[in-house]
Amino acid sequence: MNAERIDDLIARAVLGELTDAEAAELDTALADDPASRAEHDAELAVAAAVQQAVAEQPPAHVKASVLDAIAGVSQDGADDGATGHQAP
């Protein structure tokens, strides 16, 4: 199996998009290639870290600043508020 196919299978495995046949194909490839196994494991670790990441609330002064900046912006897009230009 070529490296491009292995990379494709690894990427799709991380996203949970492999068929059973593709998963078996990837397992076979990873068993024969320690470098690809390491890449697979690293990609899974990154995906797990992203899934566990918790969004943090911005500091109060940042939130207030953003809300103040957008207070005059029309929600219908007719006037962008910041530059005074009309939307096309």
Side-chain angles (χ1 to χ4, degrees), residues 1-10 18 21-40:
M1 178 181 316
N2 67 37
E4 186 176 321
R5 175 69 175 159
I6 293 172
D7 288 345
D8 177 60
L9 291 173
I10 289 172
L18 292 182
E22 290 168 331
E25 181 182 359
L26 179 60
D27 287 344
T28 299
L30 296 180
D32 296 336
D33 185 353
S36 291
R37 170 58 74 182
E39 178 184 348
H40 175 262

Side-chain angles (χ1 to χ4, degrees), residues 42-66:
E43 295 290 335
L44 287 177
V46 169
V50 168
Q51 288 177 341
Q52 292 177 4
V54 177
E56 295 182 25
Q57 290 293 323
H61 71 279
V62 172
K63 183 176 180 179
S65 174
V66 170

